């Protein structure tokens, strides 16, 4: 073998090693660190997302505003909201209501949602006197703690959004319970027409 | 000594030189295609999960919003995979005896996570954040495709750097009104997008010129 040939062979070998080496470059792709939801073989339950040690209070999470976090004043459900209800709050509430409540309670609150149509227990309509008379704090309490077979939404909905939803439910209840005399004059003809065709669907005007 | 090769061999020799270049070209092109194919990127391969969860069923037919389950997508870098409790909200009553759902019930009883298989997986040296994309009017469907039509979830796009950059260079061809981010069926129409796109990019204050800086994604 001449020197030239050896040179060629080693150059080829080097090239092949480079090409093949480039194929196994996974160590920077899979670094030994935890990103969200990555499993762990260190902790017994296999989760890298650690639950809080019971009793821990994170900075800024003392939650000492009883009204905001429990919906109660003393022992009773609060008749008022912990912050002013503005248009922005109502719009936020509408959005969150449609995400989290409408699958069962439907968009108007009559309790005919899609999941109910597939066999879930039918919830009561929000438009009955008993629920119209409940204070906002009661609805807040139901969202965070569940009611009967209804699951609680404490893990899915932050407290401010829960209050926004309550405000929107109040708006829905009003929308279904306006005395005809209080309607703005331009809406009266609509009601009269609708009443002839079907029963009025005032809630849909919020869509 | 007579010539071994006929004169015409010259032409042949030239042809082979060209041929080699041509073959290398084809090989190179083939490698490029392979590198972008689903075989390498994992795109378009439906992943078997411990529970055959169907987005088509839940998101499309039942009309459940993405945020019912992926609750942190608007506020965090991860969209989040729902905890078993979220499934049990409904499945404590619906299909409560179905054998398909036994792993979900077992997970709820024993407090052991359901071992969902990751479908999208960026390399660890890439930083990605959902909240900024959602806040700037990029729809789930622009990156994940029609999830609401998938029975088993698959990755729709390559997730290669080239793919990210294609949008970071031209966000105006992809942005949509914020109200349409979660609308899977929204179609970016080429006619209106010409005027709508640049307007939204300005309105959302998207800094196009920074979006290709290496340090945005490699930090």
């Amino acid at each position: 073998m001449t020197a030239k040939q050896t040179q060629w062979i080693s150059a080829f070998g080097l090239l092949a090693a480079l090409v093949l080496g480039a194929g196994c470059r996974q160590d920077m792709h899979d670094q030994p660190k935890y990103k969200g939801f990555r499993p762990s073989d260190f902790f017994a339950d296999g989760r890298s997302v650690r639950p809080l040690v019971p009793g821990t209070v994170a900075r800024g999470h003392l939650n000492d505003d009883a009204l905001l976090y429990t919906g109660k004043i003393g022992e009773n459900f609060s008749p008022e909201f912990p912050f002013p209800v503005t248009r922005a709050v109502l719009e936020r509430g509408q959005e969150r209501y449609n995400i989290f409540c409408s699958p069962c309670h439907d968009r108007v609150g009559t309790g005919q949602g899609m999941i109910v149509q597939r066999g879930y227990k039918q919830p009561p309509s929000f438009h009955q006197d008993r629920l119209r008379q409940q204070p906002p704090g009661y609805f807040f309490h139901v969202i965070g703690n569940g009611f009967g077979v209804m699951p609680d939404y404490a893990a899915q909905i932050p407290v401010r959004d829960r209050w926004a939803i309550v405000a929107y439910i109040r708006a829905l209840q009003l929308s279904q319970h306006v005395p005809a005399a209080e309607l703005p004059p331009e809406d009266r003809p609509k009601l009269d027409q609708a009443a002839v065709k079907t029963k009025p669907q005032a809630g849909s005007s919020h869509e | 000594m007579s010539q071994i090769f006929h004169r015409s061999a010259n032409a042949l020799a030239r042809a082979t030189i060209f041929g080699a270049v041509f073959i290398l070209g084809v090989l190179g092109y083939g490698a490029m295609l392979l590198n972008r194919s689903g075989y390498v990127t994992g795109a378009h391969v439906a992943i078997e999960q411990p529970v055959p969860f169907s987005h088509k069923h839940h998101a499309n037919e039942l009309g459940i919003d993405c945020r019912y389950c992926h609750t942190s997508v608007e506020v965090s870098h991860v969209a989040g995979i729902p905890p078993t409790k979220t499934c049990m909200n409904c499945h404590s009553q619906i299909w409560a005896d179905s054998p398909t759902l036994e792993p979900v019930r077992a997970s709820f009883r024993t407090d052991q996570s359901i071992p969902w298989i990751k479908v999208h997986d960026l390399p660890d040296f890439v930083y990605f954040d959902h909240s900024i994309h959602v806040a700037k009017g990029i729809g789930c469907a622009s990156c994940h495709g029609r999830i609401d039509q998938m029975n088993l979830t698959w990755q729709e796009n390559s997730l290669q750097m080239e793919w990210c950059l294609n949008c970071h260079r031209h966000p105006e061809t992809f942005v949509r009104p914020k109200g349409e981010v979660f609308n899977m069926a929204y179609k970016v129409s080429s006619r209106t997008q010409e005027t709508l796109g640049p307007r939204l990019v300005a309105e959302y204050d998207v800094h196009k010129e920074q979006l290709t800086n290496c340090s945005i994604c490699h930090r």
Side-chain angles (χ1 to χ4, degrees):
Chain A
M1 225 194 287
T2 66
K4 192 104 190 181
Q5 268 172 330
T6 346
Q7 254 177 20
W8 271 108
I9 291 174
S10 40
F12 181 76
L14 199 66
L15 199 73
L18 273 178
V19 169
L20 290 177
C24 8
R25 24 138 242 196
Q26 293 306 314
D27 27 350
M28 288 308 274
H29 284 231
D30 303 311
Q31 300 164 9
K33 68 179 180 190
Y34 293 131
K35 283 167 94 177
F37 299 98
R38 193 161 285 180
S40 157
D41 44 22
F42 180 78
F43 297 104
D45 62 2
R47 296 173 192 155
S48 62
V49 186
R50 303 310 304 156
L52 287 183
V53 176
T56 322
V57 177
R59 245 187 120 97
H61 289 263
L62 185 53
N63 301 358
D64 54 351
D65 184 344
L67 173 56
L68 182 63
Y69 287 96
T70 65
K72 289 184 182 171
I73 295 178
E75 284 300 295
N76 300 321
F77 294 118
S78 160
E80 60 210 46
F81 288 82
F83 48 83
V85 175
T86 60
R87 190 183 175 87
V89 169
L90 271 180
E91 275 166 5
R92 176 81 182 171
Q94 178 181 34
E95 189 187 70
R96 298 292 123 173
Y97 176 89
N98 288 343
I99 296 171
F100 291 107
C101 315
S102 72
C104 297
H105 289 273
D106 81 35
R107 295 204 165 207
V108 197
T110 55
Q112 311 276 345
M114 196 51 157
I115 308 302
V116 174
Q117 292 170 29
R118 299 296 171 103
Y120 207 87
K121 181 182 174 189
Q122 182 171 352
S125 165
F126 290 147
H127 310 293
Q128 48 174 260
D129 271 337
R130 180 176 66 85
L131 287 175
R132 268 195 223 109
Q133 269 134 36
Q134 292 288 3
Y138 176 72
F139 291 91
F140 178 87
H141 180 82
V142 171
I143 301 178
N145 298 279
F147 177 85
V149 299
M150 177 183 141
D152 74 88
Y153 281 83
Q156 278 157 282
I157 315 179
V159 280
R160 284 182 172 272
D161 283 350
R162 289 181 222 165
W163 282 112
I165 290 174
V166 175
Y168 181 66
I169 292 179
R170 269 282 115 93
L172 277 181
Q173 288 175 331
L174 277 178
S175 77
Q176 301 284 305
H177 197 56
V178 185
E182 280 183 25
L183 276 181
E186 66 271 22
D187 279 350
R188 269 311 284 274
K190 283 194 215 148
L191 177 66
D192 295 340
Q193 278 168 2
V196 179
K197 269 185 274 158
T198 67
K199 65 178 192 287
Q201 275 273 339
S204 55
S205 64
H206 282 266
E207 297 293 305
Chain B
M1 200 173 119
S2 69
Q3 282 181 314
I4 299 178
F5 292 109
H6 187 260
R7 267 179 154 284
S8 66
N10 284 347
L12 200 68
R14 283 192 202 106
T16 23
I17 291 174
F18 170 75
V21 171
F22 181 72
I23 288 172
L24 280 182
V26 168
L27 277 181
Y29 185 68
M32 218 175 77
L33 283 188
L34 178 70
N35 192 28
R36 286 164 176 73
S37 72
Y39 178 72
V40 171
T41 63
H44 294 286
V45 183
I47 309 272
E48 287 285 341
Q49 299 282 359
V51 185
F53 174 81
S54 162
H55 280 95
K56 179 158 190 259
H57 201 114
H58 290 86
N60 189 0
E61 284 155 25
L62 299 174
I64 309 175
D65 195 284
C66 311
R67 290 164 286 183
Y68 187 95
C69 292
H70 303 296
T71 44
S72 60
V73 73
E74 291 165 297
V75 291
S76 157
H77 64 121
V78 285
I81 296 297
T84 306
K85 159 79 170 56
T86 304
C87 312
M88 290 307 276
N89 279 355
C90 297
H91 288 295
S92 59
Q93 282 193 39
I94 287 183
W95 288 97
D97 310 310
S98 160
T100 344
L101 284 163
E102 179 50 31
V104 177
R105 291 190 299 269
S107 156
F108 196 63
R109 275 196 310 271
T110 60
D111 196 31
Q112 290 280 316
S113 307
I114 306 173
W116 298 110
I117 318 277
K118 234 176 155 356
V119 180
H120 301 76
D121 197 4
L122 283 176
D124 288 357
F125 52 76
V126 180
Y127 174 81
F128 179 78
D129 190 316
H130 271 97
S131 59
I132 180 94
H133 291 96
V134 173
K136 302 277 171 130
I138 305 294
C140 313
S142 301
C143 296
H144 292 303
R146 287 302 296 267
I147 290 268
D148 68 325
Q149 302 291 329
M150 301 179 189
N151 273 322
L152 286 178
T153 316
W154 68 76
Q155 177 185 322
E156 179 75 14
N157 288 298
S158 72
L159 299 195
Q160 282 172 338
M161 181 162 141
E162 176 188 47
W163 174 75
C164 308
L165 287 179
N166 183 38
C167 176
H168 278 205
R169 289 200 181 106
H170 313 286
E172 66 280 357
T173 43
F174 299 93
V175 283
R176 37 172 105 182
K178 280 182 192 164
E180 305 290 350
V181 165
F182 295 90
N183 178 358
M184 291 287 128
Y186 179 82
K187 285 235 168 19
V188 175
S189 100
S190 48
R191 206 161 38 82
T192 51
Q193 192 68 11
E194 255 173 50
T195 48
L196 185 65
R199 210 190 73 215
L200 290 179
V201 163
E203 189 182 314
Y204 299 163
D205 196 21
V206 172
H207 292 281
K208 209 169 126 177
E209 64 291 346
Q210 296 173 4
L211 274 184
T212 48
N213 290 353
C214 314
S215 59
I216 289 250
C217 307
H218 304 292
R219 29 176 116 182

